[in-house]
Each structure stands twice: as structure tokens, then as C-alpha cells.
Amino acid sequence: MEHQDLLSGFIRLHVLHHAAEGDLHGLWMIEELAHHGYKVSAGTLYPMLHAMEKKGYLTSRMERVGRTRRRIYNATPYGVAALKIARERARELFREVVGTGNS
């Protein structure tokens, strides 16, 4: 993904947003991100999910789907609190970066 270092924070925020809404799994998240123009490989997303879990933003459980097992992620209370702060900061940044057309 071009400019990955810059956009990875947006991807993490997007993941946390959906994890706070309910269950998500990696393949669904890759497809969801693609709908928003992010081309993220499994080799990028899964380490990101694991790191977010290790830092306490996400929790996961294994779930059987047919013959396969799938890791399901949800936001922790810590992750939900971080999301709230990140939303406030994103609004502030959006106003500054995008502006109101008065620049």
C-alpha cells in the first residue's frame, strides 16, 4: 500500500471503530477496508490486529465456521475509550486539514 506509514493510523482507527460496533474477522476487515480504497494484505492486517490485541485495544476468540476456525475480534473497554479520544482528535484534525474553505 502506497504511503502505508502515513495511512496505517487511519486503518487502525477504522479497525477499532468496527470492533467497537461488534464482531469482525480479518478477511471481512480486508474487504471493508478495500471498500474505502485501502489495499491491505493479510500479511499487513493480521500482525496489526495481533499488535492491537497485545496493546489491549482488542480482544479475540476462536469461532468455528463450518470446518474452519476463525479469530473474531472485538474492542475492549480500553479500546472503546481510545476510540472516543481518537474520534475527538480526528474531528479536530479534519477541521484543520480540510478546513471550511476560508484558507
Side-chain angles (χ1 to χ4, degrees):
M1 179 175 66
E2 192 173 11
H3 309 297
Q4 181 174 350
D5 57 329
L6 185 62
L7 299 175
S8 65
F10 291 119
I11 292 169
R12 285 182 183 86
L13 188 55
H14 203 125
V15 167
L16 196 53
H17 164 74
H18 284 292
E21 289 186 327
D23 293 350
L24 69 84
H25 60 88
L27 180 57
W28 180 86
M29 197 68 230
I30 289 170
E31 292 168 355
E32 169 64 14
L33 290 166
H35 287 296
H36 296 282
Y38 298 101
K39 292 179 180 151
V40 179
S41 70
T44 298
L45 183 67
Y46 286 105
M48 184 182 291
L49 291 170
H50 294 220
M52 290 176 73
E53 184 174 17
K54 187 175 181 181
K55 291 177 182 178
Y57 298 116
L58 302 175
T59 186
S60 71
R61 68 184 188 281
M62 293 303 290
E63 196 171 272
R64 186 170 295 282
V65 179
R67 291 181 163 214
T68 56
R69 293 178 53 179
R70 176 180 291 165
R71 186 169 295 279
I72 305 295
Y73 293 90
N74 292 100
T76 63
Y78 180 71
V80 171
L83 178 61
K84 182 180 179 197
I85 293 167
R87 281 181 173 147
E88 292 168 5
R89 301 279 171 88
R91 281 185 198 101
E92 179 183 331
L93 178 63
F94 183 80
R95 283 191 299 270
E96 186 172 324
V97 171
V98 176
T100 58
N102 296 331
S103 46

